[in-house]
């Protein structure tokens, strides 16, 4: 069995420097968006999905665990944040916290159940759990079933930042995304991240070295789920609603697609993948159902011809880790 | 009481579909080490082929029962030859991603041409009507589905567990290199196995066409439940898939009678409970 990702390149100080330079370039590019003609709503949406894909990539790219129900964290956090903001009338910062807390609790429970199975079984359990939640949200009164929670007040974050202004909202979302991204980067390059990578490469060996691999995988799952929840909570402010589409399993499939297109186990891959897929949905919307066919074709082409993804191929070409 | 028996019957019918689909998944998983995410889409294709055969070719249900699995099976074998075989030796997650992509393409194409609403497929004349069993009224077609799928399930079990061909198959699952050394064409066997598994899915599709309408997303809705069935059963044995499939169908039916709100979720709840007690599933080997 070959490894899932192309991570044979050593992390040297030079590689770290490359990554930091790229990060600064990305941050500057994103920060300049309001001054260009690009539609900020589109970029905000892509940023939320990019954070979700990064969180998902933490699990598969570095832990080797393919979660096929990751939308459940985003959806749950979205519903809880939306409920906190609209019904409890909490201020935005607390609303985000409620969403994160909900995703944290959910990832504790689902992680405890799913982490004990490996490979495809793990994927199928996460998929089934997310479908269980889907049916619960379909029937639970607070989610308003098919209608979803709509018309969420945006309010003033910390009492001063008026989120109803697009530019302010944009920078809040951007700061949230960058913070999440840096946190994930820090996790990957910590001793914990190194152990995680060793589990991905060869779990029996990691066990024989004395690591309790289940605990490491569990922690990675909880971190990933909680960060996915953060993405979901941010998305509530952008979309001003929370609906069933965010919990449906096809959303989980889209997250996988974003990460696969960008490059599994690369740092910037999920961001690029998210922008590519969201742009496609935006501009190909006129094709109706053919979008599904195109997405399916991308899956097939990626798996058959370029498994490393966009960033993965570039990194492989330059022999750097990106 | 009438309603209880009716729900039990519905449960048995759903159980037949679960059993046929998880059986096909188990056969494919055994040989290709791939969880066939396209299974639901191929099940849907089976129903659509039956629909085309009747409405375009004027070919009856009875022939469709034979032809649709063969046609979809051949389509499956082409998929295996052109795409799936290139994944040999790679991490099995790529198989899941590839078949997921195939499922999206197939479903997307059908949705484009047929929308999301259902097409009717009428029950064949010979199986119309019903009979009074004294305690309940049994529509003949529904009884037929349950009995026919039981027969197919046990025929598959017999083929794999009791015949020489099945012995080759099981041996090739354990050690393909050694089996090849005995002069058996393992790649062809893998292709045929995929065809067989896909054929079982298509057969389930034909059986379901007269009960549920023929819809592009009929498989997508079902496949997640079947995955849960597979997780509960553990996909360790052919018999395990069959028994778990039917048992879960019946449990679902009972839930629909006693506590309808939970009928969509009971399979998933059971999955959680089973995993907490026995992480390998009921009949599972260690993954």
């Amino acid at each position: 069995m070959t490894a899932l990702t192309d991570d044979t390149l050593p992390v040297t100080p030079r590689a770290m420097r490359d990554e930091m330079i790229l990060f600064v370039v990305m941050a500057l590019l994103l920060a300049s968006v309001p001054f260009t003609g690009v539609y900020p709503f589109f970029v905000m949406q892509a940023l939320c999905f990019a954070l979700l894909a990064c969180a998902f990539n933490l699990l598969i790219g570095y832990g080797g665990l393919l979660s096929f129900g990751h939308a459940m964290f985003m959806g749950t956090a979205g519903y809880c944040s939306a409920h906190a903001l609209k019904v409890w009338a909490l201020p935005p910062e607390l609303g985000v916290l409620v969403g994160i807390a909900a995703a944290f609790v959910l990832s504790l429970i689902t992680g405890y159940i799913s982490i004990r199975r490996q490979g495809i079984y793990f994927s199928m359990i996460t998929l089934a759990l997310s479908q269980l939640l889907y049916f619960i949200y379909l029937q639970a009164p607070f989610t308003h079933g098919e209608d979803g929670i709509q018309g969420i007040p945006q309010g003033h974050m910390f009492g001063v930042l008026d989120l109803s202004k697009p530019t302010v909202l944009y920078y809040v979302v951007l700061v949230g995304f960058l913070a999440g991204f840096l946190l994930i980067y820090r996790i990957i390059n910590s001793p914990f991240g190194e152990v995680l990578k060793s589990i991905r490469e060869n779990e029996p060996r990691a066990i024989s070295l004395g690591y309790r691999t289940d605990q490491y995988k569990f922690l990675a799952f909880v971190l990933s789920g909680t960060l996915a929840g953060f993405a979901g909570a941010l998305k509530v402010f952008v979309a001003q609603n929370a609906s069933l589409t965010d919990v449906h399993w096809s959303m989980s499939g889209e997250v996988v697609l974003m990460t696969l297109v960008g490059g599994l186990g690369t740092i910037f891959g999920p961001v690029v993948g998210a922008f590519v897929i969201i742009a496609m949905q935006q501009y190909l919307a006129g094709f109706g159902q053919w979008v599904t066919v195109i997405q399916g074709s991308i899956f097939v082409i990626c798996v058959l011809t370029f498994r490393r993804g966009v960033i993965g191929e570039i990194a492989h070409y330059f022999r750097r880790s990106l | 009481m009438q309603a209880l028996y009716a729900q039990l019957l519905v449960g048995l019918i759903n159980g037949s579909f679960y059993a046929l689909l998880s059986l096909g998944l188990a056969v494919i998983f055994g040989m290709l080490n791939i969880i066939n995410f396209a299974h639901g889409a191929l099940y849907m294709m089976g129903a659509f082929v039956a629909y085309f055969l009747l409405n375009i070719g004027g070919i009856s249900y009875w022939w469709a029962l034979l032809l649709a699995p063969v046609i979809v099976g051949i389509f499956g074998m082409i998929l295996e030859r052109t795409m799936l075989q290139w994944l040999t030796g790679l991490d099995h997650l790529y198989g899941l991603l590839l078949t997921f992509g195939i499922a999206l393409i197939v479903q997307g194409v059908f949705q484009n041409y047929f929308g999301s609403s259902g097409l009717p497929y009428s029950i064949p004349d010979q199986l119309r009507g019903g009979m009074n069993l004294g305690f309940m009224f049994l529509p003949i077609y529904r009884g037929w589905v349950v009995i026919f799928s039981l027969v197919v399930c046990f025929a598959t079990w017999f083929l794999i567990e009791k015949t020489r061909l099945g012995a080759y198959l099981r041996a090739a699952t354990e050690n393909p290199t050694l089996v090849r050394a005995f002069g058996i064409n393992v790649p062809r066997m893998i292709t045929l196995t995929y065809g067989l598994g896909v054929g079982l899915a298509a057969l389930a599709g034909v059986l379901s066409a007269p009960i549920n309408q023929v819809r592009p997303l009929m498989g997508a809705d079902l496949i997640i439940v079947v995955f849960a069935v597979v997780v509960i059963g553990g996909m360790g044995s052919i018999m395990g898939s069959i028994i778990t499939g039917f048992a879960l169908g019946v449990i679902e039916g009972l839930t629909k009678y006693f506590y309808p709100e939970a009928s969509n979720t009971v399979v998933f709840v059971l999955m959680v409970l089973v995993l907490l007690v026995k992480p390998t599933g009921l009949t599972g080997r260690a993954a």
Side-chain angles (χ1 to χ4, degrees):
Chain A
M1 289 262 161
T2 55
L4 203 61
T5 51
D6 183 44
D7 197 55
T8 47
L9 307 162
V11 181
T12 57
R14 200 177 76 161
M16 295 276 280
R17 198 198 60 204
D18 290 347
E19 287 158 10
M20 287 324 290
I21 292 172
L22 257 180
F23 174 77
V24 172
V25 171
M26 176 178 82
L28 288 176
L29 268 178
L30 288 171
S32 63
V33 164
F35 307 106
T36 62
V38 184
Y39 185 41
F41 180 79
F42 156 73
V43 184
M44 280 192 269
Q45 212 190 0
L47 282 176
C48 294
F49 281 104
L51 184 55
L52 176 65
C54 286
F56 167 79
N57 184 45
L58 174 64
L59 200 55
I60 186 175
Y62 299 91
L65 294 164
L66 172 58
S67 158
F68 219 99
H70 235 56
M72 68 179 156
F73 300 115
M74 182 175 79
T76 300
Y79 272 131
C80 292
S81 281
H83 188 76
L85 292 167
K86 191 173 179 186
V87 181
W88 300 341
L90 291 183
E93 60 277 10
L94 288 183
V96 171
L97 277 182
V98 168
I100 294 175
F104 173 70
V105 173
L106 179 66
S107 61
L108 284 180
I109 299 168
T110 50
Y112 178 73
I113 296 164
S114 59
I115 215 74
R116 295 193 275 176
R117 300 294 302 273
Q118 289 173 340
I120 315 181
Y121 284 100
F122 172 80
S123 310
M124 286 167 34
I125 292 163
T126 48
L127 173 60
L129 286 172
S130 78
Q131 196 65 2
L132 170 65
L133 274 174
Y134 176 82
F135 283 120
I136 290 175
Y137 290 143
L138 185 65
Q139 291 171 358
F142 90 99
T143 60
H144 301 289
E146 304 274 353
D147 298 334
I149 306 179
Q150 292 181 352
I152 293 155
Q154 286 171 310
H156 288 66
M157 193 168 252
F158 306 117
V160 282
L161 300 166
D162 184 1
L163 297 182
S164 58
K165 289 186 181 145
T167 316
V168 177
L169 179 62
Y170 178 80
Y171 282 108
V172 168
V173 171
L174 178 61
V175 167
F177 163 76
L178 292 176
F181 184 91
L182 278 179
L183 180 60
I184 291 169
Y185 184 73
R186 185 73 194 88
I187 293 171
I188 292 166
N189 288 301
S190 68
F192 167 75
E194 296 299 327
V195 177
L196 212 54
K197 284 178 219 168
S198 80
I199 295 173
R200 176 193 70 193
E201 297 301 328
N202 194 336
E203 184 163 358
R205 187 178 291 169
I207 294 172
S208 76
L209 287 172
Y211 291 111
R212 296 191 176 165
T213 57
D214 276 1
Q215 289 181 4
Y216 280 87
K217 289 196 287 188
F218 179 68
L219 184 53
F221 190 89
V222 173
L223 284 169
S224 173
T226 310
L227 280 159
F230 181 36
L234 283 180
K235 191 168 168 288
V236 167
F237 294 98
V238 178
Q240 279 186 277
N241 68 31
S243 66
L244 280 172
T245 40
D246 289 350
V247 225
H248 195 248
W249 62 271
S250 57
M251 183 62 85
S252 300
E254 271 176 34
V255 178
V256 182
L257 182 60
M258 289 170 189
T259 316
L260 188 67
V261 166
L264 294 175
T266 61
I267 296 156
F268 294 94
V271 182
V272 174
F275 271 84
V276 169
I277 301 297
I278 298 292
M280 261 182 44
Q281 285 171 352
Q282 186 91 6
Y283 297 108
L284 299 181
F287 289 97
Q289 280 305 326
W290 288 113
V291 175
T292 323
V293 180
I294 295 168
Q295 281 188 344
S297 312
I298 295 177
F299 257 109
V300 170
I301 293 165
C302 272
V303 172
L304 287 179
T305 59
F306 81 127
R307 272 185 285 278
R308 291 192 190 98
V310 177
I311 295 294
E313 292 288 347
I314 296 173
H316 185 76
Y317 181 77
F318 289 109
R319 304 196 54 72
R320 301 278 167 83
S321 77
L322 293 176
Chain B
M1 274 330 256
Q2 281 279 338
L4 174 63
Y5 288 123
Q7 286 305 342
L8 268 179
L9 180 65
V10 170
L12 269 178
I13 290 169
N14 285 336
S16 323
F17 298 136
Y18 298 162
L20 281 172
L21 290 172
S22 68
L23 181 61
L25 280 174
V27 171
I28 292 171
F29 183 68
M31 276 302 277
L32 289 84
N33 210 5
I34 280 176
I35 284 284
N36 190 26
F37 221 112
H39 221 63
L42 295 161
Y43 158 85
M44 174 270 287
M45 272 179 87
F48 264 98
V49 169
Y51 177 84
F52 293 141
L53 286 174
L54 184 69
N55 288 287
I56 296 171
I59 295 165
S60 73
Y61 172 82
W62 301 101
W63 280 104
L65 222 41
L66 179 69
L67 285 175
V70 171
I71 294 169
V72 181
I74 290 172
F75 176 73
M77 287 193 258
I78 295 171
L79 286 182
E80 199 280 328
R81 277 281 116 156
T82 52
M83 299 184 194
L84 290 171
Q85 67 153 330
W86 300 108
L87 299 182
T88 321
L90 287 175
D91 197 293
H92 47 229
L93 299 180
Y94 286 117
L96 192 154
L97 297 179
L98 180 69
T99 48
F100 180 62
I102 294 173
L104 287 184
I105 297 174
V106 172
Q107 278 163 11
V109 167
F110 277 88
Q111 265 188 297
N112 267 304
Y113 290 109
F114 302 98
S116 290
S117 52
L119 303 167
Y121 187 97
S122 57
I123 296 176
D125 292 337
Q126 296 89 332
L127 297 177
R128 272 176 212 272
M131 54 183 151
N132 198 341
L133 298 180
F135 54 89
M136 71 174 289
F137 181 80
L138 173 73
I140 290 178
Y141 185 78
R142 299 185 173 230
W144 153 258
V145 169
V146 174
I147 290 166
F148 183 74
S149 52
L150 267 174
V151 170
V152 172
C153 281
F154 283 103
T156 315
W157 171 79
F158 187 81
L159 174 77
I160 290 170
E161 299 288 339
K162 298 290 168 198
T163 64
R164 180 168 283 259
L165 181 69
Y168 289 153
L169 212 95
R170 281 177 290 135
T173 313
E174 292 289 321
N175 192 338
T177 334
L178 190 66
V179 173
R180 273 181 108 150
F182 281 110
I184 292 162
N185 189 339
V186 174
R188 185 192 295 161
M189 224 154 82
I190 289 177
T191 311
L192 287 175
T193 309
Y194 192 71
L196 172 71
V198 167
L200 284 171
L203 185 69
V206 182
L207 284 175
S208 112
I211 300 180
N212 313 305
Q213 290 190 319
V214 182
R215 289 179 304 120
L217 289 181
M218 63 193 280
D221 300 340
L222 189 60
I223 193 70
I224 315 267
V225 183
V226 175
F227 281 161
V229 170
V230 167
V231 170
I232 296 173
M235 210 136 76
S237 69
I238 300 291
M239 193 54 97
S241 307
I242 301 172
I243 293 171
T244 320
F246 275 100
L248 285 171
V250 170
I251 291 173
E252 211 179 38
L254 288 176
T255 316
K256 215 168 266 174
Y257 178 76
F258 288 108
Y259 189 59
E261 290 84 0
S263 60
N264 280 327
T265 50
V266 66
V267 174
F268 303 111
V269 174
L270 269 174
M271 182 196 72
V272 171
L273 292 179
V274 168
L275 287 178
L276 288 177
V277 181
K278 199 166 179 295
T280 47
L282 293 177
T283 60
R285 306 168 289 195

